[in-house]
Amino acid sequence: MPRCRTPIALCFLLTIATLFDELREFRGVALASQHDAPGPRPVYIGGFFHPFFTSLPVTVQTAIDHVNNLTGILDGYELRMRWNWTQGNPANALWILNDFVQRGPPVDMVWGPFYSKVAIVVNEVLPRYDVVQVVTASSSTLKDRARYPLTVQVANDEDLLNPARVSFVKHMGWRRVALVFEDNVYFRQNTANLAELLEKDNISILATEAVTDADRPDEQIENLKRHDARIIIAGFYLEAAAKFFCKIYKAKLFGAKYVWILPGWYPDGWWRDMPGVPCTNDEIATALDLYLGFDGDQAVSDVSLIHFNGLKPYPEQLDYLQRLHAMEDNPRHTYAYDCLFTIALALNGSIADLKQLTPPRGLDEFSYGDKDMAAVFLKNTLETNFVGLTGRVVIDKEGVRHSTVSVEQLQDGHPVLVGTHSDGEYVKIANASIVWKGSGKPVDGKTETPRPVRLSAPYQIAIFTAATLGVLLSLIFLALNFALRNQRAIKISSPPISSLIALGCLLLYSSVFVSGMNKVFLSDSTFTALCFVEVWLICVGMSLSFGSLLVKTYRIFAIFERAVARFKKIDLPDKKLISMVMLLVLMDCVIVILWVTLGQPMVKTINFEPQLSDTDSPESEIYILPVLRQCGSVHEIYFTGAIYGFKGIVLLFGLFLSWEIRNVNIKGLNDSKYIVLSVYVVAVTIVLAVPTLQVFVNNADMHFCIFGVAVVVANTAVLCLVFVPKFALCYTSRGIQLHISMMDSTNASVASTRAQSSLSSKERNRLADLTRTLREVKRLTKK
């Protein structure tokens, strides 16, 4: 027994195989021992076949016969093959390898294995015995020269097919795909490579599902449905694929909305009569209808072009190749044939090189562990260049064949060549086209085009027009108040404070324009800045307008509560009242500045229900996704609470003062009544508008209209109540000296000085005090 240089687990299997070797029947072709009889010297190769393709050994044996009959290839040698069935199981392949090693003549090279999951195991062991393998397996894992230094791939590598898949997806305009695969080394590595290529081309992977149990892929199928996967690239071996698509049929994951992309090396009608599949052939065919398959260039265009390093096949051989070329299941057989000729031409090219070794050797003198002969075999295999049934066969230095990729579609139960991929481009076949079940090419899912929510133009124009008129009104009243400030009718109502009211209303009107302007194309930073500008305008505008109303109300309250009722002197000049208003403004500014610096502002987006953009073509599934941008911050609740709390306290205080002076009338001026009405208007507007705005916070049009109407109505009412009576009094007085009287404000009987004689001494003293207070009020109103 040769020295075992395999990993421990594999050595164990080989050792067990040796112990039971006598009990195991080798079902391969009977082989004759080497002998000294005259004639061609036998050269042996090994074969690993899968029973699903029962006719492949016949094809390979026919290729061996062609080699032995052709003059110019292996002259003086007779090529023979030792082979057996792997059952698609790596363990069985190791049993066969053990038989090659322990019994019979050594094999110079190996054909197969056919399946990658077998090749990635057994081909890692074969180099321990210095045996070169020429395989049709296409796993990119086999490209690892450290693990597979003696493996040569005649079939197209998956790393060639994956770029073709990506290019096809891009050509179709799909940007979202899903991946599902049988969970084994081959498909796991292939899917990982494919995912990397897709991501590089900015193609989104909706889901990557690994099926560990082919009988129970329900969870993976549900995930595909949940992600609304439409373009699905799948990787399975035949048995697992048949079971999987039985489940796909039951899950209704097929039809006009779905595109399945599968390996292209499946044989024609591969799903029929598959054992262990609880679906009929027609049911699986329904689920598979119009699937797309990717494989390497599968056939030469004309068999007359075939030559083996310039050596043409004999006419009878050409007739067989023509029949093989026309077979329905020709891809597997053409690859098998070319794989054998790759081995034969490599051995033929090695004859001269072996004679240069020390000592010189013949092909029939190979023994396991002969590194020199293995190096010669590998060198000549990598130099292979001929035209076979699968087209030109050229192997690069990495042991991989590269060629054109074919794209086929299952139409009417048979694969139809619809395109090719070469040099990074997908090319349509002139006389064939891809067939779709629906009215057009399937889409990769719902296409949702974000569209920023804009205010309706009619609402915007209406509110802006009203706000513009409000601004003009504010400016007119502000100008008149300044121009007539020395008139007695205006002067007695504190023009500076009235100007603050007009200025505050002007800021509030301005906030309407900021709120309703088009912010669609603004950056997040600019959008956030405008949000805080709007907040500042509202807060400061309210503090100036409502704060001025408040201090006016407070002065009237102080006069009648303290000066009249309690006979106390008050000192509330305009400067002190203005400073109180400025204090409110300062509080607003502090809150807004802290919010900007500490609140971590951000832009929030709210996605609304998608709307079908083209009702005439619903199958396109193109939707408009309305997106509303709103300002927010991490600590928003604290700062909005501070603003609402502060404004609420001011509002309640204003309502209290207004209620207290509701019955006060100053004859000749009558200012208090309008101030009280202004406070009530502002309070009612705020109470109604603020909760309503919260209800319609996600309705841009309603939110803007409610806010704009509230500002315009409240501001206009305040301006008219504060300024119109003053200007009317100024007009009616026409420069006549005004006298103010609080006769109607008191319950004392002071209607005439002639009644004073009937008063008691105490009452006359009180009346004298009241008269002095009246003079003080007049003095204050002149300041």
Side-chain angles (χ1 to χ4, degrees):
M1 178 177 177
R3 181 184 178 187
C4 181
R5 293 179 288 168
T6 65
I8 296 175
L10 298 178
C11 286
F12 176 75
L13 289 174
L14 294 176
T15 303
I16 297 298
T18 303
L19 295 176
F20 289 92
D21 189 59
E22 295 299 327
L23 299 177
R24 182 173 179 271
E25 178 183 359
F26 184 76
R27 299 188 299 110
V29 178
L31 301 170
S33 304
Q34 296 190 48
H35 52 81
D36 297 329
R41 294 183 289 176
V43 177
Y44 294 92
I45 63 172
F48 296 89
F49 291 90
H50 194 288
F52 187 85
F53 306 98
T54 55
S55 59
L56 277 187
V58 177
T59 301
V60 176
Q61 184 58 50
T62 302
I64 291 175
D65 294 339
H66 288 182
V67 169
N68 291 332
N69 292 329
L70 274 172
T71 301
I73 300 180
L74 295 180
D75 293 339
Y77 293 95
E78 180 183 356
L79 190 61
R80 299 178 182 180
M81 183 172 64
R82 301 176 59 188
W83 67 276
N84 208 333
W85 304 111
T86 66
Q87 307 297 331
N89 191 323
N92 287 344
L94 292 175
W95 282 105
I96 297 171
L97 172 59
N98 177 72
D99 199 89
F100 290 163
V101 172
Q102 300 299 327
R103 297 179 58 184
V107 293
D108 289 24
M109 299 176 69
V110 165
W111 184 102
F114 184 83
Y115 271 8
S116 293
K117 67 178 181 180
V118 178
I120 60 179
V121 175
V122 72
N123 282 25
E124 192 171 2
V125 180
L126 279 164
R128 313 288 177 165
Y129 300 99
D130 296 300
V131 178
V132 176
Q133 318 99 46
V134 181
V135 301
T136 57
S138 57
S139 173
S140 57
T141 303
L142 297 173
K143 292 172 63 177
D144 186 348
R145 305 312 289 174
R147 294 175 60 188
Y148 306 100
L150 301 181
T151 295
V152 176
Q153 294 175 270
V154 172
N156 291 284
D157 176 58
E158 286 291 347
D159 280 352
L160 176 66
L161 302 183
N162 280 338
R165 294 184 179 112
V166 175
S167 180
F168 179 79
V169 169
K170 291 173 59 181
H171 176 79
M172 290 296 167
W174 297 323
R175 307 304 304 174
R176 291 167 291 184
V177 302
L179 308 177
V180 58
F181 62 96
E182 183 181 354
D183 193 9
N184 55 47
V185 176
Y186 170 49
F187 287 114
R188 192 184 308 116
Q189 182 62 46
N190 177 34
T191 303
N193 294 341
L194 176 59
E196 184 178 352
L197 292 176
L198 290 168
E199 290 173 352
K200 284 182 179 179
D201 279 289
N202 296 320
I203 297 174
S204 301
I205 301 175
L206 298 177
T208 302
E209 302 295 329
V211 178
T212 55
D213 187 348
D215 293 314
R216 290 188 291 272
D218 305 88
E219 181 180 350
Q220 288 75 27
I221 293 175
E222 284 302 315
N223 287 339
L224 293 176
K225 294 175 70 174
R226 185 170 62 253
H227 287 91
D228 193 26
R230 308 292 184 84
I231 314 302
I232 309 171
I233 303 176
F236 293 88
Y237 285 119
L238 298 176
E239 298 89 342
K243 294 179 180 179
F244 180 77
F245 276 93
C246 175
K247 294 285 188 178
I248 290 298
Y249 174 81
K250 294 179 180 179
K252 306 299 182 183
L253 208 64
F254 63 91
K257 292 171 59 176
Y258 300 95
V259 177
W260 286 93
I261 299 176
L262 305 179
W265 38 262
Y266 292 167
D268 193 14
W270 57 270
W271 65 89
R272 299 189 182 102
D273 303 320
M274 191 72 71
V277 179
C279 288
T280 65
N281 291 338
D282 290 340
E283 289 174 338
I284 300 179
T286 300
L288 288 168
D289 190 30
L290 301 182
Y291 85 78
L292 294 159
F294 286 72
D295 199 4
D297 200 3
Q298 298 174 349
V300 68
S301 58
D302 186 353
V303 294
S304 63
L305 300 175
I306 295 176
H307 68 85
F308 309 110
N309 287 343
L311 185 64
K312 287 284 189 177
Y314 296 150
E316 62 273 16
Q317 296 175 348
L318 205 58
D319 290 341
Y320 170 82
L321 296 178
Q322 184 66 54
R323 294 194 301 274
L324 192 62
H325 185 269
M327 286 177 58
E328 291 185 353
D329 190 24
N330 72 329
R332 309 287 73 77
H333 293 271
T334 55
Y335 272 116
Y337 189 93
D338 286 354
C339 184
L340 189 283
F341 259 88
T342 300
I343 294 174
L345 293 175
L347 291 173
N348 185 69
S350 300
I351 295 175
D353 293 338
L354 293 177
K355 292 179 180 180
Q356 304 300 318
L357 299 178
T358 304
R361 274 158 271 183
L363 295 176
D364 57 337
E365 297 179 68
F366 175 75
S367 61
Y368 298 120
D370 192 333
K371 295 185 179 298
D372 293 337
M373 291 189 70
V376 172
F377 294 155
L378 179 62
K379 167 182 171 294
N380 284 278
T381 305
L382 298 179
E383 293 175 353
T384 300
N385 189 340
F386 69 96
V387 177
L389 281 167
T390 59
R392 180 166 294 279
V393 180
V394 179
I395 311 297
D396 64 18
K397 62 181 180 179
E398 298 297 326
V400 178
R401 177 186 178 182
H402 291 283
S403 63
T404 301
V405 175
S406 299
V407 183
E408 294 182 335
Q409 187 180 43
L410 188 69
Q411 300 178 5
D412 297 326
H414 299 283
V416 175
L417 184 66
V418 294
T420 60
H421 180 269
S422 181
D423 298 327
E425 292 186 6
Y426 172 76
V427 181
K428 299 179 181 178
I429 298 299
N431 298 323
S433 60
I434 299 177
V435 178
W436 307 115
K437 291 184 179 180
S439 59
K441 179 184 65 177
V443 297
D444 58 5
K446 292 181 180 179
T447 300
E448 296 180 348
T449 303
R451 178 174 293 176
V453 175
R454 296 189 181 187
L455 294 175
S456 298
Y459 296 141
Q460 197 174 27
I461 293 172
I463 300 298
F464 278 5
T465 301
T468 301
L469 295 176
V471 170
L472 294 176
L473 188 64
S474 298
L475 293 174
I476 292 172
F477 285 166
L478 190 62
L480 289 175
N481 187 66
F482 180 78
L484 303 175
R485 65 187 182 279
N486 294 322
Q487 293 291 326
R488 180 65 175 167
I490 303 299
K491 189 174 183 180
I492 60 178
S493 62
S494 302
I497 299 179
S498 298
S499 296
L500 291 181
I501 294 176
L503 183 59
C505 291
L506 190 62
L507 294 180
L508 286 169
Y509 283 127
S510 301
S511 70
V512 174
F513 294 101
V514 176
S515 176
M517 69 181 296
N518 183 14
K519 306 184 185 74
V520 171
F521 302 106
L522 299 180
S523 63
D524 285 354
S525 58
T526 306
F527 185 87
T528 305
L530 282 178
C531 287
F532 283 107
V533 169
E534 180 183 351
V535 171
W536 184 85
L537 288 173
I538 294 172
C539 291
V540 174
M542 285 190 63
S543 291
L544 288 175
S545 59
F546 187 77
S548 298
L549 288 174
L550 178 64
V551 297
K552 276 196 169 191
T553 307
Y554 175 72
R555 182 157 67 180
I556 296 173
F557 170 79
I559 290 172
F560 286 96
E561 178 66 19
R562 295 182 180 181
V564 175
R566 300 181 184 179
F567 303 103
K568 292 182 179 180
K569 184 179 179 180
I570 61 168
D571 183 20
L572 289 174
D574 288 348
K575 292 181 179 180
K576 184 176 291 188
L577 296 180
I578 292 173
S579 64
M580 294 171 62
V581 175
M582 292 298 107
L583 181 61
L584 297 179
V585 172
L586 179 62
M587 290 292 294
D588 289 327
C589 293
V590 169
I591 294 175
V592 173
I593 292 173
L594 290 177
W595 193 351
V596 172
T597 55
L598 304 179
Q600 301 180 30
M602 61 183 178
V603 176
K604 299 185 297 185
T605 57
I606 299 175
N607 297 331
F608 295 102
E609 188 69 23
Q611 303 170 356
L612 190 64
S613 64
D614 188 357
T615 55
D616 295 330
S617 303
E619 67 278 358
S620 63
E621 296 192 62
I622 299 177
Y623 290 83
I624 299 300
L625 180 64
V627 177
L628 177 63
R629 297 171 80 191
Q630 291 181 340
C631 286
S633 67
V634 176
H635 307 296
E636 180 178 5
I637 187 172
Y638 303 111
F639 292 100
T640 55
I643 289 177
Y644 282 135
F646 174 55
K647 296 299 181 185
I649 292 172
V650 174
L651 178 62
L652 290 175
F653 187 54
L655 288 174
F656 167 74
L657 295 178
S658 299
W659 179 259
E660 288 295 317
I661 68 168
R662 66 190 182 278
N663 294 321
V664 173
N665 288 306
I666 304 177
K667 190 175 181 179
L669 181 60
N670 206 18
D671 201 23
S672 60
K673 179 175 63 176
Y674 299 111
I675 293 175
V676 170
L677 286 176
S678 299
V679 172
Y680 286 160
V681 167
V682 173
V684 171
T685 304
I686 292 176
V687 169
L688 292 178
V690 171
T692 309
L693 287 172
Q694 297 304 315
V695 172
F696 294 100
V697 66
N698 294 333
N699 188 324
D701 285 338
M702 287 298 297
H703 189 274
F704 174 65
C705 287
I706 293 170
F707 172 73
V709 169
V711 170
V712 170
V713 169
N715 278 4
T716 305
V718 168
L719 287 172
C720 292
L721 288 171
V722 170
F723 289 100
V724 171
K726 295 179 178 57
F727 296 146
L729 181 61
C730 184
Y731 176 78
T732 56
S733 65
R734 298 183 181 275
I736 299 173
Q737 186 68 24
L738 293 176
H739 298 279
I740 62 174
S741 173
M742 291 184 287
M743 294 291 291
D744 299 330
S745 308
T746 68
N747 294 323
S749 180
V750 291
S752 172
T753 56
R754 291 173 296 183
Q756 294 182 18
S757 60
S758 63
L759 297 178
S760 65
S761 175
K762 184 176 181 179
E763 288 174 337
R764 285 196 297 272
N765 292 334
R766 184 178 179 183
L767 181 58
D769 291 338
L770 185 58
T771 303
R772 288 193 296 271
T773 300
L774 179 58
R775 287 198 297 270
E776 180 66 17
V777 171
K778 291 181 179 180
R779 184 183 65 82
L780 291 173
T781 55
K782 293 179 181 179
K783 292 184 179 181

